[in-house]
Amino acid sequence: ATCRAAIDLLKEYPDFQFTQGEAHIYRWVEAEDPETWAEIQRFIAEGRWHVVNGMVIQPDMNLPQGESFVRQALLGKGYFWEKLGVDVRVAYCVDSFGHAGTLPQILHKCGFDYYVFMRPGPHEKDLPSQVFWWQSPDGSRILTYRIPGSYETGRLADYGPHVGQALAAMPHQLGETMCFFGVGDHGGGPTREQIEQLRMLARQREDIDLRFSHPEAYFNAIAPQAFNLPVVQDELQYHAVGCYSVNSPLKRMHRQAEGALLLAERLACLAALWADKPIPLAELNQMWWTLLFNQFHDTLGGSCIKPANDEAIMALGQVILGA
């Protein structure tokens, strides 16, 4: 429904642009709504629908092991390239509760140039700049942006202060910033009313160039000035710390599923080398999709409702049994 609403607005407003991530959501649309899928392809070709994240889902960015993050990118970016011809360069985990300090190495080596997050906020983690180079212990770095305020605006009546917050957070050496808007959370995207409000504000604010855009365009615009931005060599913590000490059955099943699937791959490779057995690649990939989907930050973090938690435990159990 969010995608259909966005398509209607793209048709109505020639200057409007839309951003959407998560390969699993695109898979659902492709399978269930061919008409919407065709429209998405058309607007991507026109340069007005933009794909971010390049992962299967927005995962929890602390609990999965490193190989899981690699597979998030391998399957997510692979899907977007195969189905839409898009090489996703912006990693985008705006709702995850925290971000491990080794992630820049993984993201950079998986072909991401940029990272967007929101949590932890300024009250939880002091950073030298809204935009910075985030660096891993091995020296890998990725240009990173922390969303000021929020990625959602609900039914906000006045966008002036929201835009002002983004402008106030802009580093002095840059001339561009990003300001996110949309109904969020749990879907909903931008509304016609929000677009009209922002277009009106753009006409009123002669001191700034307020326009609809997308994260990759922003990063490309600031790239020439980014060399002198500060470097952060640290974890991006802490938010929602209680999530990491709850729901132990789910977390245990998740770790067991990771281990079982990696072991199954190793054994399949040995069987191919030693006994000329074909590797069941399709079955293994499907189990990876199931595992990665259940790394969604609200699921693995333990903040989902009980029926969703129960379904996740059953799905992870199926991965263990299948592996």
Side-chain angles (χ1 to χ4, degrees):
T2 299
C3 293
R4 285 196 297 268
I7 287 167
D8 290 341
L9 294 172
L10 286 164
K11 292 177 179 178
E12 185 173 349
Y13 297 97
D15 57 335
F16 175 61
Q17 301 192 41
F18 182 68
T19 298
Q20 171 71 54
E22 291 73 68
H24 217 297
I25 293 174
Y26 283 84
R27 284 182 95 201
W28 281 334
V29 175
E30 180 190 14
E32 298 182 14
D33 193 340
E35 183 179 347
T36 297
W37 179 249
E39 293 279 24
I40 290 173
Q41 291 176 303
R42 177 168 75 88
F43 282 113
I44 287 175
E46 291 181 8
R48 297 181 56 210
W49 183 297
H50 307 281
V51 183
V52 293
N53 194 26
M55 302 183 200
V56 170
I57 205 73
Q58 281 192 41
D60 179 271
M61 300 302 283
N62 280 317
L63 291 174
Q65 59 171 278
E67 186 61 27
S68 283
F69 290 124
V70 172
R71 301 306 177 99
Q72 286 278 357
L74 181 67
L75 293 181
K77 292 190 73 169
Y79 175 84
F80 287 126
W81 180 255
E82 176 188 353
K83 299 290 185 175
L84 300 172
V86 176
D87 180 18
V88 183
R89 299 169 62 208
V90 180
Y92 183 94
C93 292
V94 301
D95 209 31
S96 302
F97 306 146
H99 313 263
T102 50
L103 283 168
Q105 175 183 356
I106 296 172
L107 294 172
H108 177 73
K109 292 184 176 182
C110 285
F112 293 109
D113 298 317
Y114 313 119
Y115 192 55
V116 180
F117 76 104
M118 185 182 76
R119 296 174 171 145
H123 61 295
E124 297 163 321
K125 174 73 173 180
D126 186 35
L127 292 171
S129 173
Q130 203 72 27
V131 196
F132 55 92
W133 291 100
W134 187 24
Q135 182 168 308
S136 280
D138 79 320
S140 300
R141 58 172 60 178
I142 189 168
L143 192 57
T144 301
Y145 181 89
R146 177 163 68 179
I147 297 173
S150 176
Y151 60 79
E152 61 172 332
T153 51
R155 298 291 179 180
L156 194 63
D158 180 6
Y159 275 82
H162 183 65
V163 172
Q165 189 175 21
L167 291 170
M170 181 174 64
H172 66 87
Q173 62 266 56
L174 301 180
E176 310 259 353
T177 189
M178 286 195 286
C179 182
F180 287 70
F181 76 102
V183 173
D185 192 24
H186 307 283
T191 66
R192 183 174 290 102
E193 179 184 14
Q194 291 172 335
I195 292 172
E196 290 288 357
Q197 288 186 47
L198 286 167
R199 294 178 90 190
M200 181 177 66
L201 184 62
R203 292 191 294 269
Q204 295 171 346
R205 291 290 301 266
E206 296 182 355
D207 57 320
I208 59 173
D209 177 14
L210 181 62
R211 60 184 181 270
F212 298 111
S213 188
H214 58 99
E216 187 170 347
Y218 164 76
F219 284 114
N220 289 340
I222 69 168
Q225 293 82 41
F227 66 93
N228 61 351
L229 289 170
V231 176
V232 173
Q233 302 181 64
D234 196 7
E235 294 186 322
L236 302 180
Q237 310 288 6
Y238 295 96
H239 177 85
V241 294
C243 290
Y244 295 103
S245 61
V246 300
N247 212 334
S248 59
L250 172 64
K251 292 176 171 61
R252 181 172 59 251
M253 291 291 281
H254 166 257
R255 188 67 78 219
Q256 289 174 344
E258 280 185 319
L261 194 45
L262 288 170
L263 178 59
E265 285 189 334
R266 287 169 172 80
L267 292 175
C269 289
L270 291 174
L273 288 170
W274 293 346
D276 201 27
K277 297 284 188 181
I279 295 176
L281 187 60
E283 291 86 349
L284 289 168
N285 274 344
Q286 185 52 53
M287 285 189 282
W288 271 111
W289 276 95
T290 300
L291 172 61
L292 300 177
F293 175 76
N294 285 285
Q295 289 175 348
F296 182 64
H297 57 275
D298 281 316
T299 304
L300 186 55
S303 58
C304 59
I305 60 174
K306 188 177 185 302
N309 172 74
D310 293 342
E311 288 190 14
I313 289 176
M314 287 188 288
L316 294 170
Q318 290 173 345
V319 171
I320 295 170
L321 291 172

